[in-house]
Amino acid sequence: MSKSPLTIITAIAGLVWLGVLINIALPFPAPWDKVLRWFGLGLLIIHSLELLMFRSLLGASGNPKWLDSLLIIVSGAFHASYLARQRAQRSKAGL
């Protein structure tokens, strides 16, 4: 059984976020604590901007909007591109 690329990317992104959250709770040795903190902050800012850009796509996959929002925060434009494909397929099917 083959996993979709979106599932693999979301899993990798989840591991990155898990590392950032662990670093907040139990800081890693210097300088990695600051590196991960800044990396996490940068990711959060970038993915928040992506969420603002793609907010019209929320719910296009049939998921609740809050779940699509969370998935965009976690995996960014990868999930947004999936939502765009879902929207195109629905409009092509006339739904």
Side-chain angles (χ1 to χ4, degrees):
M1 183 165 136
S2 170
K3 298 272 185 187
S4 74
L6 181 64
T7 304
I8 294 168
I9 290 168
T10 303
I12 292 170
L15 290 174
V16 170
W17 280 112
L18 182 63
V20 170
L21 293 174
I22 289 172
N23 182 53
I24 291 171
L26 303 166
F28 293 123
W32 298 109
D33 60 337
K34 287 186 179 24
V35 170
L36 271 174
R37 210 172 295 143
W38 283 107
F39 183 73
L41 181 63
L43 272 180
L44 183 62
I45 291 169
I46 289 169
H47 289 185
S48 296
L49 291 172
E50 290 171 347
L51 180 61
L52 290 174
M53 289 172 42
F54 297 113
R55 69 179 175 262
S56 65
L57 296 175
L58 298 178
S61 65
N63 292 335
K65 288 185 177 185
W66 67 267
L67 181 59
D68 281 339
S69 298
L70 178 65
L71 289 172
I72 288 177
I73 290 293
V74 170
S75 62
F78 296 107
H79 187 67
S81 66
Y82 168 75
L83 292 177
R85 284 194 309 273
Q86 291 295 320
R87 183 184 215 174
Q89 288 175 353
R90 284 180 179 234
S91 66
K92 190 184 285 187
L95 296 176

